[in-house]
Amino acid sequence: MESIPHPIPRTVEEVFNDFKGRRSGLIKALTTDVDKFFQQCDPEKENLCLYGLPNETWEVNLPVEEVPPELPEPALGINFARDGMQEKDWLSLVAVHSDSWLLGVAFYFGARFGFGKNERKRLFQMISDLPTIFEVVTGNAKQPKDQSANHNGSGKSKSSAKASRLSEPQTKMVKVSSPLKDEDESGEEDEEDDEQGATCGACGDSYGTDEFWICCDICERWFHGKCVKITPAKAEHIKQYKCPSCSSKRARV
């Protein structure tokens, strides 16, 4: 339940930053913090909502009692469906409703502060350039092709510790096998396309050549080392890496 203790965004950039902060918090709840989120969504409790906050955190709470609310409210009663469906389907459902809520909040601010046609279009374009929460949670996030032009051969850093698919390997953390099972003689071009389209399974941000990445050997999603608390030194001693989501699923089986 949010009472808006944070500064109220009034410009397109401020609304977009508010959107990104809330989005990051929601992605954490549905990926790296999924165990904690699962436990808090007790079906025995009253109607619960998942809130993403501008400071990149999240909370599960009761809806506000004020009618109408000061901000649009997230989907109500997400906890009731938790045990009635497969966990991945439940998380995907929550992700879809979270995407809808984020758009509602962003355009609520736009309407409240009189954004014109061009401002609304610019805001929507900025939002659309990011993968949806649903895409991140289901592993279907893809980077728009027009952004791939920002990367070229000289931009690949040999010091980058991302997987062997994305740069020259520096540590044992790299996933030796390619996420693309079938490759033809144009393997280098396929490798470049795979590099450009990679997004972090935790935060949803796109691949950067100067960042440390690691790939889950179970779901084959890529993650920033910082997002899953894995350093290059620690990765040296990992024979098979399991992301937090895959580890938690196996623990509950």
Side-chain angles (χ1 to χ4, degrees), residues 12-253:
V12 171
E13 287 72 21
E14 289 175 344
V15 171
F16 181 60
N17 286 334
D18 180 270
F19 175 93
K20 288 197 301 181
R22 296 176 188 275
R23 172 180 173 275
S24 294
L26 292 169
I27 289 175
K28 287 178 183 177
L30 299 174
T31 55
T32 55
D33 295 346
V34 68
D35 275 349
K36 182 179 178 182
F37 172 64
F38 189 91
Q39 292 171 0
Q40 290 189 20
C41 290
D42 186 350
E44 299 299 321
K45 295 182 179 180
E46 296 183 47
N47 289 309
L48 295 176
C49 300
L50 172 61
Y51 294 87
L53 306 179
N55 61 357
E56 301 186 4
T57 60
W58 60 275
E59 67 175 8
V60 172
N61 212 330
L62 295 170
V64 298
E65 296 180 359
E66 179 184 6
V67 178
E70 189 168 357
L71 282 180
E73 284 287 290
L76 182 67
I78 57 172
N79 52 314
F80 295 147
R82 190 195 72 177
D83 296 340
M85 55 199 306
Q86 292 290 329
E87 181 182 338
K88 66 177 183 179
D89 294 331
W90 176 66
L91 292 174
S92 297
L93 180 64
V94 176
V96 168
H97 283 288
S98 296
D99 281 319
S100 177
W101 176 66
L102 284 179
L103 286 173
V105 172
F107 280 85
Y108 163 82
F109 285 129
R112 180 176 177 181
F113 295 108
F115 286 5
K117 176 181 178 180
N118 291 335
E119 291 173 310
R120 293 195 302 271
K121 288 177 65 176
R122 185 155 63 94
L123 175 60
F124 186 74
Q125 184 60 54
M126 294 166 74
I127 291 174
S128 297
D129 284 340
L130 294 174
T132 64
I133 298 175
F134 175 80
E135 289 173 331
V136 173
V137 170
T138 59
N140 294 325
K142 293 182 179 179
Q143 180 180 358
K145 289 186 176 180
D146 58 351
Q147 291 187 12
S148 65
N150 294 330
H151 301 276
N152 52 42
S154 61
K156 295 176 67 176
S157 170
K158 290 186 178 180
S159 63
S160 172
K162 198 188 171 186
S164 56
R165 290 282 304 156
L166 304 180
S167 67
E168 296 186 25
Q170 299 296 313
T171 69
K172 280 182 66 178
M173 58 68 69
V174 298
K175 180 177 173 62
V176 178
S177 61
S178 163
L180 299 177
K181 303 297 183 184
D182 300 316
E183 292 188 350
D184 53 24
E185 294 181 357
S186 61
E188 291 186 1
E189 293 183 6
D190 291 342
E191 181 174 329
E192 188 69 18
D193 290 340
D194 186 49
E195 175 178 326
Q196 309 303 346
T199 53
C200 176
C203 70
D205 286 345
S206 301
Y207 165 61
T209 58
D210 59 343
E211 297 174 304
F212 175 82
W213 283 62
I214 188 167
C215 181
C216 175
D217 287 294
I218 305 302
C219 65
E220 297 192 344
R221 286 191 292 173
W222 297 99
F223 298 86
H224 289 112
K226 63 183 180 181
C227 290
V228 291
K229 297 181 175 60
I230 298 293
T231 64
K234 187 175 181 180
E236 285 280 359
H237 305 286
I238 299 177
K239 292 183 178 180
Q240 184 185 53
Y241 174 67
K242 297 177 185 178
C243 68
S245 180
C246 290
S247 296
S248 64
K249 287 178 182 177
R250 286 178 173 264
R252 279 195 289 271
V253 172

